Amino acid sequence: MEKFLLVLEVITTCCAVTQSMTGQERSEEKSECVSLSPMMEAVPAPPESERVCVFGTGDLGRSLGLRLLQAGYGVVFGSRRPHSSSSLLPHGAQVLGHAAAAQSAHLIFIAVQREHYDFLVPLANQLKGKVLVDLSNNLKKNQYPEANAEYLQSLVPGAEVVKGFNTLSAWSLQNGPSDANRQVYICGESVEAKQAVIAVAIKLGFSALDRGFLSVARELEDFPLQLFPQWRLPLRIAIGLSAAFFFYLLIRDIIYAYVTQSKDISFRIMVSLANKVCPIVSLIMLSLCYLPGVLASFLQLYRGTKYRRFPDWLDRWMLCRKQLGLLALGFAFLHVLYTLIIPIRFDYKHASLSLFQIRENRTTQFDMTTAWRGDSYLSLGILGFGLYVLLGITSLPSVSNALSWREFSFIQSKLGHLTLLLCTAHTYLYGWNRFLSSSTYKWYTPPGYMLCLVLPSVVLLLKLLLITPCVDRTITRIRQGWERGADQRNPKDSQPLIP
Amino acid sequence: MEKFLLVLEVITTCCAVTQSMTGQERSEEKSECVSLSPMMEAVPAPPESERVCVFGTGDLGRSLGLRLLQAGYGVVFGSRRPHSSSSLLPHGAQVLGHAAAAQSAHLIFIAVQREHYDFLVPLANQLKGKVLVDLSNNLKKNQYPEANAEYLQSLVPGAEVVKGFNTLSAWSLQNGPSDANRQVYICGESVEAKQAVIAVAIKLGFSALDRGFLSVARELEDFPLQLFPQWRLPLRIAIGLSAAFFFYLLIRDIIYAYVTQSKDISFRIMVSLANKVCPIVSLIMLSLCYLPGVLASFLQLYRGTKYRRFPDWLDRWMLCRKQLGLLALGFAFLHVLYTLIIPIRFDYKHASLSLFQIRENRTTQFDMTTAWRGDSYLSLGILGFGLYVLLGITSLPSVSNALSWREFSFIQSKLGHLTLLLCTAHTYLYGWNRFLSSSTYKWYTPPGYMLCLVLPSVVLLLKLLLITPCVDRTITRIRQGWERGADQRNPKDSQPLIP
Amino acid sequence: MEKFLLVLEVITTCCAVTQSMTGQERSEEKSECVSLSPMMEAVPAPPESERVCVFGTGDLGRSLGLRLLQAGYGVVFGSRRPHSSSSLLPHGAQVLGHAAAAQSAHLIFIAVQREHYDFLVPLANQLKGKVLVDLSNNLKKNQYPEANAEYLQSLVPGAEVVKGFNTLSAWSLQNGPSDANRQVYICGESVEAKQAVIAVAIKLGFSALDRGFLSVARELEDFPLQLFPQWRLPLRIAIGLSAAFFFYLLIRDIIYAYVTQSKDISFRIMVSLANKVCPIVSLIMLSLCYLPGVLASFLQLYRGTKYRRFPDWLDRWMLCRKQLGLLALGFAFLHVLYTLIIPIRFDYKHASLSLFQIRENRTTQFDMTTAWRGDSYLSLGILGFGLYVLLGITSLPSVSNALSWREFSFIQSKLGHLTLLLCTAHTYLYGWNRFLSSSTYKWYTPPGYMLCLVLPSVVLLLKLLLITPCVDRTITRIRQGWERGADQRNPKDSQPLIP
């Protein structure tokens, strides 16, 4: 209709009608416009004459066709057996043989598996100059020597191949774009061809990104095959830490008890041990999540500028902070559950013992300090976990998108460090006076909760340094684009918005 | 490219080329299109001369008007009392009487209740050839014999009625489209009219879907009246199961105790009984959530193709898996809470008894097996619930959108079945040796947890069959489009992406 | 504007003008463009000749440039030292000196800090008639006498300044628009300039909202500096209530015990006291969340129309209901955790005592009523919390967007009031017979849970009144646009959709 209006505009103007005319008056003008040029045929030209063609009547082909129809395009399916396949096809679409279909449109979506591309070779003539959109994906990476799109181009040199839409599932096509998968990535040699595809994408409600030349196709084809790329590293760390501490505690608790008192308490692996590993790993991961930020600040401080790239390892680390934090939350969640079921365990006396050495006191006289310490310990844990959960919620895509950059950084940085502080204090209170008593160090090894306190303590100390007024001021200026030793007369090409 | 196409249209049309031309042929035509001149007058035509009209100054009318203004349209309100109503209207909009307003634009939004449509009849002349967008909704389904839009068309035959935008609330109009409600559904007879509305929708940031002819209007008008259509069936199942097991357990526990030992423990309905119903229903619902997938696989295996539709009952079932799973999670959540409060219940000894028969052991000698079993039972439950929650989180729209199709299926299928496995094992361990002791079968009826084990066990067994290498290979090939007994020379029109 | 640009393209090309011409020069060409022919050059004119210019090579500038390139625009960076800065710039972009860059495009994004705007003054000639998009932000509100955009306009009077895109972070620019930050706000004097910017925004996948004239710029510049504006009031209320009740209970419990029995139980501040404050504040906040809705209904009922604005205080209150509810949920969550850890506290006997006075009964004979009451109390709490969580989940942006308006109101209103009912009953059962025993009123003050019952009880009573058939009918009619004493012949300009 935009076009329609515009054509009208053209007409009206060539009728020398004043701008102030309304669309309606224009449509009345039309009749008179006949004589001044065959233009008014422009009007009946129904926009759905923007016809596109879809090769392939599989799930994806059908979904795409339906979507195109609904967006107002005329759709022609190309099929090897037009009649048999037409049954499943969306209502309103034409079905023709491949050759005829190719004739009928400038833009052709290829929703066919790569193995069957060869059927396109005989169509070379009909496809000359057409835009072929390669939607295909592979089952695993590097399945073939070259990308499907490049292979397609080599089969039909006359056509302009554009790789795109392959990151969408038939499902998301049918149900329309939603937040995260609104992005469609395309690549190809011809700018015009890409523009044509972008236009279609926009009309379907997607936003298309041109990733460059056809050589990028392989990369695009690997997208849908990715399995949590950013989660790999954090998961490995989590698993590694869990395993390490599991065996460490296995030896210190179960085996030690067995060797020294020849007492078999192996059953405690299931809950007691698990409930020691979880909090330890959780706390370490949480501090690993805030350490890189602190390091980066010190690096900027040392360099005196924000315009130099961070070393790659730091960049990678910064990029998986979110995942580190969420895994830490997961372990904290398990820790909470494991702690809460302690009272309903059959060996209640045991568990409580394993929980606080000071349980006996109950029978003996009442100790005020112990009372304070015990309750503070629990209370800090609860508050820490509460904030933990809050951080988790705000890292949900839809929530974090709703936050302004300043709000997000406030929560993730300020509240994040507060959470770390609470959880660390929680652990210190758990250790309490046992840090000193030699009995704690079985076989001269420190208990797990002591080991896991090292990292968070370091992070908190460094952070403390950073927020001291003088250091803080410098950091802020650097982040605003100030460079140590740069002459201040030239404009700084920078933005306060970005940290 | 839109533009590019468009200019071509202008050119081709002034060359009196027939519509049926494809974009490509057009580009060949160009050469003849030499001499059409006074085009440039088109230019000064300021885009805000794209004026639209809104009838109705209610909440929706005002919100729509504001949004249109902000998107750069000129807005004219039509009101029965221009002066009184103008106070509330968005700044920058004109207010005219209905007739004058109708004159001023080609596109008219009707934000008026159906009961008042009759005021449009006298405007028939001004409305001739205009596009009327019917935004109205009804209070309940089938309130009127025909759809509002059809009624409107019958009142103003000269105009082109398009149904649309009615699924949006004034709220979402004011606050702009967001993830899920970006979709605007429209329908109508005239393709041009619909294109005009689609163009406006896109400019407002929505993506419009053409649902077909005006006869679909009723369907669109029923959208906003829907109340959780996909939740109906799962909710009914949940309620049904809960009721059934509630009465079953009521008889087995409370009434049995009353009849045999004439002991009144009715108070235990509130917690103990609830805490038996919840886990039972949860486990059954969870297995109901994975059963259809397994059945579908076997069906495909049996048919040897993926190109035949599933029976409707299976389709419907598959479509409510998400809801089934979430309800199951809800019950699991309650089960966890009910379990965790057991120790703080006043009849602590009781509760624990009702929880493990083996509580007495505590007083007697310490039993290793029992210890192992008790702790494993709890640990499995906790891990199962942890995964449960993870599944729930990944089914949040914004999270699942952020996942690639492969990631989503990994979590929902692999982790889902693992969850089912853990929860089933959890229940088996709960039953433990009581499966054999005759005392368990009061009145010769099996306890609830045994009944609820049947379904998950079946699902897990079937799944086990499916993942055996040989079966798995066949399934995979079928899902890639391979058809048993189809000759492999023809291209398969299918996509690996889709399962 | 899209059209505008486009037609220009046609013209310029048929004038055989080189691409390097800027849009502005083109518009000057127009007049001569009358009679020139060979249109086919229109085609080769590659759409990326829609060249835009970006001043500033900082984070934001680079991200914006990349995004523009990917959307198919030609990008020219203006930098004070083209060679040094080009290293970091996105591949495919040109880098020129500021003057040359300004020449090359009609649209210029200014991604430079306000302090450095003065470098634009000498460019006044090259910038004449150009559209300058001011992306800048400040570090704090009212940092400067006038908005950055107004300051820019004053520096370069010849150019058309448009404020916009400043609400986006470099991050969201690079990663593309997502749900909540798809909206781009712009303002400026020239309609055409704004249309040009809107066109770019749409192509980048954003939806732009025209907020009016340049005088609004300050408002737009304050957006990214906001820190939870809608959370301020609810947070203050929450903190105020917590503090008040904390001290109230501190006096009634700890100090009272100290004074009367000179017994120091101060340690109970950490858990017992916290666990009294949390539920009290939670319940009060929840009722505060539903009170305004009830008041609004009564107001409409009293006025007999929905067409009159609510008093401001009520409007503001209504707008922060969501925040009130979520904070209430937070406190409820803490209450649950605090309750569940009671059994693992070292002073178990104590805690339980502090939990139910009736704990002693356990040792004495078994009391049926107490049993019922105790279990119902817990069960209601659990169910209430379950619904609480459900409400919280449905208020996640991505979830609430997926709900139709009717579904959302069903959950938030119906289920919401049910939650309030359950939690209130939970508290009444907690109080139970203690409402009467004089021993409850230490120092003649009522315990906290009684005070917190007042508000919810009132809300529930009022709601009860509203849902009585007769009142309900009137409300419904009013919400459908019916006005008491208005003659019914005129059409009502209203929408049933909106409450």
Side-chain angles (χ1 to χ4, degrees):
Chain A
M1 174 62 183
E2 259 180 9
K3 295 157 212 55
F4 164 77
L5 257 186
L6 155 52
V7 176
L8 281 183
E9 243 161 60
V10 178
I11 295 160
T12 46
T13 43
C14 64
C15 308
V17 180
T18 70
Q19 288 184 32
S20 69
M21 290 183 64
T22 68
Q24 192 221 5
E25 292 167 62
R26 282 180 194 146
S27 28
E28 284 153 2
E29 290 297 338
K30 273 178 280 146
S31 40
E32 296 115 50
C33 288
V34 178
S35 56
L36 26 117
S37 74
M39 264 224 168
M40 62 298 323
E41 267 85 3
V43 184
E48 96 272 32
S49 77
E50 279 173 19
R51 198 185 283 105
V52 294
C53 170
V54 178
F55 278 9
T57 56
D59 303 321
L60 189 61
R62 291 199 302 271
S63 315
L64 179 61
L66 177 61
R67 185 92 192 159
L68 285 163
L69 279 166
Q70 292 180 326
Y73 285 97
V75 175
V76 180
F77 277 98
S79 164
R80 69 183 185 287
R81 27 176 194 186
H83 307 295
S84 63
S85 47
S86 59
S87 62
L88 291 160
L89 294 177
H91 175 74
Q94 256 182 297
V95 198
L96 303 172
H98 288 121
Q103 293 282 359
S104 67
H106 178 61
L107 200 65
I108 303 173
F109 289 94
I110 312 291
V112 178
Q113 280 189 59
R114 175 201 175 106
E115 301 84 67
H116 311 306
Y117 279 179
D118 38 22
F119 84 95
L120 290 164
V121 179
L123 301 171
N125 277 337
Q126 294 88 332
L127 296 178
K128 174 174 271 85
K130 304 273 180 173
V131 176
L132 303 186
V133 185
D134 179 321
L135 299 154
S136 67
N137 282 299
N138 298 325
L139 295 172
K140 52 180 178 302
K141 295 187 176 185
N142 313 318
Q143 196 174 1
Y144 299 103
E146 79 288 77
N148 299 355
E150 290 168 314
Y151 173 61
L152 178 59
Q153 185 69 84
S154 67
L155 287 178
V156 197
E160 292 167 342
V161 173
V162 172
K163 181 80 202 183
F165 289 91
N166 63 311
T167 48
L168 300 174
S169 65
W171 186 87
S172 71
L173 264 172
Q174 268 176 330
N175 299 273
S178 41
D179 185 10
N181 53 19
R182 282 190 63 248
Q183 301 253 352
V184 177
Y185 302 98
I186 66 168
C187 69
E189 301 302 327
S190 147
V191 174
E192 281 179 25
K194 286 189 283 191
Q195 288 287 336
V197 178
I198 289 180
V200 174
I202 289 177
K203 203 128 176 241
L204 294 190
F206 298 95
S207 75
L209 291 188
D210 178 354
R211 299 301 297 267
F213 295 115
L214 208 53
S215 50
V216 190
R218 151 145 287 149
E219 196 183 313
L220 298 193
E221 287 169 9
D222 285 346
F223 269 174
L225 296 174
Q226 288 177 339
L227 192 58
F228 299 108
Q230 320 107 305
W231 285 86
R232 291 258 163 80
L233 180 58
L235 272 171
R236 289 213 191 87
I237 297 175
I239 294 166
L241 283 172
S242 313
F245 276 99
F246 175 79
F247 288 115
Y248 182 74
L249 294 170
L250 188 68
I251 294 165
R252 274 192 92 261
D253 299 0
I254 284 77
I255 296 181
Y256 177 85
Y258 191 73
V259 172
T260 53
Q261 310 137 46
S262 65
K263 186 147 135 275
D264 176 1
I265 51 169
S266 57
F267 69 92
R268 291 176 54 183
I269 290 174
M270 294 311 289
V271 173
S272 311
L273 204 57
N275 196 20
K276 285 181 179 181
V277 172
C278 286
I280 289 173
V281 176
S282 177
L283 188 55
I284 294 182
M285 303 274 298
L286 188 62
S287 42
L288 282 178
C289 158
Y290 290 107
L291 184 53
V294 176
L295 292 181
S297 308
F298 275 103
L299 197 60
Q300 287 183 332
L301 208 54
Y302 168 76
R303 290 172 167 179
T305 173
K306 73 166 186 176
Y307 291 115
R308 274 170 55 202
R309 286 260 158 82
F310 291 130
D312 282 356
W313 60 269
L314 188 52
D315 261 340
R316 269 204 310 285
W317 194 352
M318 304 265 279
L319 285 175
C320 66
R321 279 180 295 181
K322 180 180 175 182
Q323 286 74 13
L324 285 167
L326 289 176
L327 285 176
L329 174 56
F331 280 97
F333 179 67
L334 290 180
H335 167 51
V336 169
L337 287 178
Y338 273 117
T339 311
L340 291 177
I341 54 143
I342 285 170
I344 52 176
R345 289 176 63 205
F346 66 95
D347 59 331
Y348 182 48
K349 227 184 273 64
H350 250 248
S352 35
L353 239 155
S354 77
L355 187 70
F356 319 130
Q357 259 56 352
I358 44 76
R359 248 302 168 17
E360 307 72 76
N361 304 6
R362 206 175 60 199
T363 53
T364 69
Q365 96 298 350
F366 176 82
D367 171 3
M368 199 59 192
T369 341
T370 315
W372 265 101
R373 172 224 163 243
D375 275 5
S376 324
Y377 157 76
L378 291 168
S379 212
L380 282 176
I382 289 174
L383 295 176
F385 183 65
L387 280 179
Y388 233 135
V389 172
L390 183 63
L391 291 177
I393 291 172
T394 51
S395 63
L396 286 172
S398 61
V399 178
S400 51
N401 291 338
L403 299 172
S404 80
W405 176 82
R406 186 167 166 229
E407 291 166 338
F408 186 74
S409 71
F410 172 82
I411 287 187
Q412 293 299 330
S413 164
K414 296 243 185 348
L415 291 193
H417 285 96
L418 180 58
T419 314
L420 187 58
L421 181 63
L422 287 175
C423 297
T424 314
H426 170 71
T427 318
Y428 271 112
L429 276 176
Y430 173 73
W432 196 237
N433 47 21
R434 276 172 292 165
F435 287 101
L436 308 170
S437 70
S438 63
S439 67
T440 322
Y441 302 87
K442 306 170 183 170
W443 285 341
Y444 310 105
T445 58
Y449 59 84
M450 285 192 197
L451 294 178
C452 80
L453 274 170
V454 178
L455 206 50
S457 312
V458 172
V459 174
L460 288 171
L461 279 176
L462 292 178
K463 186 65 186 175
L464 201 67
L465 271 175
L466 284 176
I467 57 178
T468 48
C470 55
V471 184
D472 185 44
R473 204 177 310 109
T474 332
I475 284 281
T476 321
R477 280 169 64 208
I478 287 175
R479 295 201 167 146
Q480 291 161 32
W482 172 85
E483 294 184 68
R484 189 183 298 135
D487 60 330
Q488 294 304 310
R489 279 180 295 83
N490 308 0
K492 284 276 154 300
D493 299 341
S494 70
Q495 255 294 334
L497 226 181
I498 316 308
Chain B
M1 175 64 181
E2 259 180 9
K3 295 161 212 54
F4 163 77
L5 261 185
L6 147 57
V7 176
L8 283 182
E9 237 163 64
V10 180
I11 296 159
T12 46
T13 41
C14 62
C15 309
V17 181
T18 69
Q19 289 184 31
S20 70
M21 291 182 65
T22 70
Q24 190 218 7
E25 292 165 45
R26 282 183 193 146
S27 25
E28 284 149 5
E29 289 298 338
K30 275 169 292 128
S31 38
E32 297 115 52
C33 299
V34 180
S35 65
L36 35 112
S37 45
M39 267 227 167
M40 58 300 319
E41 267 86 3
V43 182
E48 94 273 30
S49 76
E50 281 174 21
R51 196 184 287 108
V52 294
C53 171
V54 178
F55 277 8
T57 56
D59 303 322
L60 189 61
R62 290 199 304 270
S63 314
L64 179 62
L66 177 60
R67 184 91 191 161
L68 286 163
L69 280 166
Q70 293 179 327
Y73 286 97
V75 175
V76 180
F77 277 98
S79 164
R80 70 182 185 288
R81 26 179 192 185
H83 307 295
S84 64
S85 47
S86 59
S87 62
L88 292 159
L89 294 178
H91 175 74
Q94 256 182 297
V95 198
L96 302 173
H98 288 121
Q103 293 280 0
S104 68
H106 178 62
L107 200 65
I108 303 173
F109 290 92
I110 311 292
V112 178
Q113 281 190 58
R114 174 201 176 106
E115 301 84 69
H116 312 306
Y117 279 179
D118 38 23
F119 83 94
L120 290 164
V121 179
L123 301 170
N125 277 336
Q126 294 88 331
L127 296 176
K128 174 174 273 84
K130 305 273 180 174
V131 177
L132 303 186
V133 184
D134 179 322
L135 299 155
S136 68
N137 282 300
N138 298 326
L139 294 172
K140 53 180 177 299
K141 295 188 176 186
N142 313 320
Q143 195 173 0
Y144 300 102
E146 80 288 78
N148 299 355
E150 291 168 313
Y151 173 62
L152 178 59
Q153 184 70 82
S154 66
L155 287 178
V156 196
E160 291 167 343
V161 173
V162 172
K163 181 80 202 183
F165 289 91
N166 63 310
T167 49
L168 301 174
S169 65
W171 186 88
S172 71
L173 263 172
Q174 268 176 330
N175 298 274
S178 41
D179 185 10
N181 53 19
R182 285 190 60 248
Q183 302 254 351
V184 177
Y185 301 98
I186 66 167
C187 69
E189 300 303 327
S190 145
V191 175
E192 282 177 22
K194 286 189 284 191
Q195 287 289 335
V197 178
I198 289 181
V200 174
I202 289 178
K203 203 126 177 246
L204 294 190
F206 297 97
S207 74
L209 290 188
D210 178 353
R211 299 301 297 268
F213 294 116
L214 209 54
S215 49
V216 191
R218 151 143 287 149
E219 196 183 312
L220 298 193
E221 287 170 8
D222 285 345
F223 268 175
L225 297 174
Q226 287 176 340
L227 192 58
F228 299 108
Q230 321 108 305
W231 285 86
R232 292 258 163 80
L233 180 58
L235 271 172
R236 289 213 191 86
I237 296 175
I239 294 165
L241 283 172
S242 313
F245 276 99
F246 175 78
F247 289 114
Y248 181 74
L249 294 171
L250 188 69
I251 294 166
R252 273 190 95 260
D253 299 1
I254 283 75
I255 296 181
Y256 177 86
Y258 191 74
V259 171
T260 53
Q261 309 137 47
S262 66
K263 187 149 135 276
D264 177 0
I265 51 169
S266 56
F267 70 91
R268 290 176 55 183
I269 290 174
M270 293 311 290
V271 172
S272 311
L273 204 56
N275 195 20
K276 285 181 181 182
V277 172
C278 286
I280 289 173
V281 176
S282 176
L283 188 55
I284 294 181
M285 303 275 296
L286 187 63
S287 42
L288 282 178
C289 159
Y290 290 107
L291 185 52
V294 176
L295 292 181
S297 308
F298 274 103
L299 198 60
Q300 288 182 332
L301 208 53
Y302 168 76
R303 288 172 168 179
T305 173
K306 73 165 185 175
Y307 291 114
R308 273 170 55 203
R309 286 261 158 81
F310 292 129
D312 283 355
W313 61 269
L314 187 53
D315 260 340
R316 270 205 308 284
W317 195 352
M318 304 266 278
L319 285 175
C320 65
R321 279 180 296 180
K322 181 180 174 181
Q323 286 73 15
L324 285 167
L326 289 176
L327 285 176
L329 174 56
F331 279 97
F333 179 68
L334 290 180
H335 167 50
V336 169
L337 287 178
Y338 273 117
T339 310
L340 291 177
I341 54 141
I342 286 170
I344 51 175
R345 289 175 63 203
F346 65 95
D347 57 332
Y348 181 48
K349 230 185 272 62
H350 248 248
S352 36
L353 240 155
S354 77
L355 186 70
F356 319 130
Q357 260 57 349
I358 45 77
R359 246 306 171 12
E360 306 76 73
N361 304 6
R362 205 174 62 199
T363 54
T364 70
Q365 98 298 352
F366 176 83
D367 173 1
M368 200 58 191
T369 342
T370 315
W372 266 101
R373 173 220 162 248
D375 275 6
S376 324
Y377 156 76
L378 291 168
S379 212
L380 282 176
I382 289 173
L383 295 176
F385 182 66
L387 281 179
Y388 233 136
V389 171
L390 182 62
L391 291 177
I393 291 172
T394 51
S395 62
L396 287 171
S398 63
V399 177
S400 50
N401 291 338
L403 299 172
S404 79
W405 176 83
R406 185 166 167 232
E407 292 167 337
F408 186 73
S409 70
F410 171 83
I411 288 187
Q412 292 300 330
S413 163
K414 295 239 183 353
L415 291 193
H417 285 97
L418 179 58
T419 315
L420 186 59
L421 182 63
L422 287 175
C423 297
T424 314
H426 170 71
T427 318
Y428 271 112
L429 276 176
Y430 172 73
W432 194 239
N433 46 21
R434 276 171 290 163
F435 286 102
L436 308 171
S437 70
S438 63
S439 68
T440 322
Y441 303 87
K442 307 171 185 169
W443 285 340
Y444 310 105
T445 58
Y449 59 84
M450 285 192 197
L451 293 178
C452 79
L453 274 169
V454 179
L455 206 50
S457 312
V458 173
V459 174
L460 288 171
L461 279 176
L462 292 177
K463 185 66 185 175
L464 200 67
L465 273 175
L466 284 175
I467 57 177
T468 49
C470 55
V471 184
D472 184 45
R473 204 177 310 109
T474 332
I475 284 281
T476 320
R477 281 168 65 207
I478 288 175
R479 293 197 171 150
Q480 291 162 31
W482 172 84
E483 294 184 67
R484 187 183 298 133
D487 61 331
Q488 294 305 306
R489 278 182 295 82
N490 307 1
K492 286 274 153 303
D493 300 339
S494 68
Q495 255 293 334
L497 227 180
I498 314 310
Chain C
M1 178 59 182
E2 261 179 8
K3 294 161 212 54
F4 165 77
L5 262 183
L6 146 55
V7 176
L8 282 182
E9 236 162 64
V10 180
I11 296 156
T12 47
T13 43
C14 62
C15 312
V17 180
T18 71
Q19 288 186 25
S20 69
M21 289 184 65
T22 69
Q24 191 219 4
E25 292 167 49
R26 281 183 194 146
S27 27
E28 284 150 4
E29 291 296 338
K30 272 177 287 140
S31 37
E32 297 112 53
C33 289
V34 178
S35 64
L36 24 94
S37 46
M39 273 241 160
M40 60 302 321
E41 269 88 2
V43 183
E48 96 272 33
S49 77
E50 279 175 22
R51 196 186 284 105
V52 294
C53 171
V54 179
F55 276 10
T57 55
D59 303 322
L60 189 61
R62 291 199 304 271
S63 314
L64 178 63
L66 178 61
R67 184 94 191 159
L68 286 162
L69 279 165
Q70 292 180 326
Y73 286 97
V75 175
V76 180
F77 277 98
S79 165
R80 69 183 185 285
R81 26 178 192 186
H83 307 295
S84 64
S85 48
S86 58
S87 62
L88 291 160
L89 294 177
H91 175 75
Q94 257 182 296
V95 199
L96 303 173
H98 288 121
Q103 293 280 358
S104 68
H106 178 60
L107 201 64
I108 303 173
F109 290 93
I110 311 291
V112 177
Q113 281 189 58
R114 173 202 176 105
E115 300 84 67
H116 312 306
Y117 279 179
D118 37 23
F119 83 95
L120 290 165
V121 179
L123 301 170
N125 277 337
Q126 294 89 330
L127 297 178
K128 174 175 271 86
K130 304 274 179 174
V131 177
L132 303 186
V133 184
D134 179 321
L135 300 155
S136 67
N137 281 300
N138 298 326
L139 294 173
K140 52 181 180 299
K141 296 189 175 184
N142 312 321
Q143 195 173 1
Y144 299 102
E146 80 287 77
N148 299 355
E150 291 168 313
Y151 172 62
L152 178 59
Q153 184 70 83
S154 67
L155 289 177
V156 197
E160 291 167 343
V161 173
V162 173
K163 181 80 201 183
F165 289 90
N166 64 310
T167 48
L168 300 174
S169 66
W171 186 88
S172 71
L173 264 171
Q174 270 176 328
N175 299 274
S178 42
D179 184 11
N181 53 19
R182 283 190 62 248
Q183 300 253 352
V184 176
Y185 302 98
I186 66 168
C187 67
E189 300 302 328
S190 146
V191 175
E192 280 179 23
K194 286 189 284 190
Q195 287 288 336
V197 178
I198 289 180
V200 174
I202 289 177
K203 203 129 176 242
L204 295 190
F206 297 96
S207 74
L209 290 189
D210 178 353
R211 299 300 298 267
F213 294 114
L214 208 53
S215 49
V216 190
R218 152 145 284 149
E219 194 183 314
L220 298 193
E221 287 169 9
D222 285 344
F223 269 175
L225 296 175
Q226 288 176 339
L227 192 58
F228 301 107
Q230 321 106 306
W231 285 85
R232 292 259 164 80
L233 182 58
L235 271 171
R236 290 215 189 86
I237 296 174
I239 294 165
L241 284 172
S242 315
F245 276 100
F246 175 79
F247 288 114
Y248 182 73
L249 294 170
L250 188 68
I251 294 165
R252 272 191 92 261
D253 299 1
I254 283 75
I255 296 181
Y256 177 85
Y258 192 74
V259 172
T260 53
Q261 309 138 47
S262 65
K263 187 149 136 278
D264 176 1
I265 51 169
S266 57
F267 69 92
R268 292 177 55 185
I269 291 173
M270 295 311 291
V271 173
S272 312
L273 204 57
N275 195 19
K276 285 182 180 180
V277 173
C278 285
I280 288 174
V281 176
S282 176
L283 188 55
I284 294 182
M285 303 274 298
L286 188 63
S287 42
L288 282 178
C289 159
Y290 290 107
L291 185 52
V294 176
L295 291 181
S297 308
F298 273 102
L299 198 60
Q300 288 183 330
L301 207 53
Y302 168 75
R303 289 172 168 179
T305 172
K306 73 165 185 175
Y307 291 114
R308 274 171 55 204
R309 285 260 159 82
F310 291 128
D312 282 356
W313 60 269
L314 188 54
D315 260 340
R316 269 206 309 285
W317 195 352
M318 304 267 279
L319 285 176
C320 65
R321 279 180 295 180
K322 179 181 175 180
Q323 286 75 13
L324 285 167
L326 288 175
L327 284 176
L329 174 56
F331 279 96
F333 178 69
L334 290 179
H335 166 51
V336 169
L337 286 178
Y338 273 117
T339 311
L340 291 176
I341 55 143
I342 286 169
I344 53 176
R345 290 176 61 204
F346 65 94
D347 59 331
Y348 181 49
K349 229 186 271 62
H350 250 248
S352 34
L353 239 154
S354 75
L355 186 69
F356 319 132
Q357 260 55 351
I358 45 79
R359 245 310 168 7
E360 307 74 75
N361 304 5
R362 205 175 63 201
T363 53
T364 69
Q365 97 298 350
F366 176 83
D367 171 3
M368 200 57 191
T369 341
T370 315
W372 264 101
R373 172 224 164 244
D375 275 5
S376 325
Y377 157 74
L378 291 168
S379 212
L380 281 176
I382 289 173
L383 295 175
F385 183 65
L387 280 179
Y388 233 134
V389 172
L390 183 62
L391 290 177
I393 291 172
T394 51
S395 63
L396 287 171
S398 61
V399 178
S400 50
N401 291 339
L403 299 173
S404 80
W405 176 82
R406 186 167 166 229
E407 290 166 339
F408 186 73
S409 69
F410 171 82
I411 288 187
Q412 292 300 331
S413 162
K414 295 242 184 348
L415 290 192
H417 285 97
L418 180 58
T419 314
L420 185 58
L421 181 62
L422 286 175
C423 297
T424 315
H426 170 72
T427 318
Y428 271 111
L429 275 176
Y430 172 73
W432 195 238
N433 47 22
R434 275 172 291 164
F435 286 101
L436 308 170
S437 69
S438 64
S439 68
T440 322
Y441 302 87
K442 307 169 183 169
W443 285 341
Y444 310 104
T445 59
Y449 59 84
M450 285 192 196
L451 294 178
C452 81
L453 273 170
V454 178
L455 205 50
S457 312
V458 172
V459 174
L460 288 171
L461 278 177
L462 293 177
K463 185 68 186 173
L464 200 66
L465 272 175
L466 284 175
I467 57 178
T468 49
C470 55
V471 184
D472 185 45
R473 204 176 310 109
T474 332
I475 284 281
T476 320
R477 279 168 66 208
I478 288 174
R479 294 197 171 151
Q480 291 162 32
W482 172 85
E483 296 185 63
R484 187 182 298 135
D487 62 330
Q488 295 304 308
R489 278 182 295 81
N490 307 0
K492 286 275 153 303
D493 301 340
S494 70
Q495 254 295 331
L497 227 180
I498 315 310

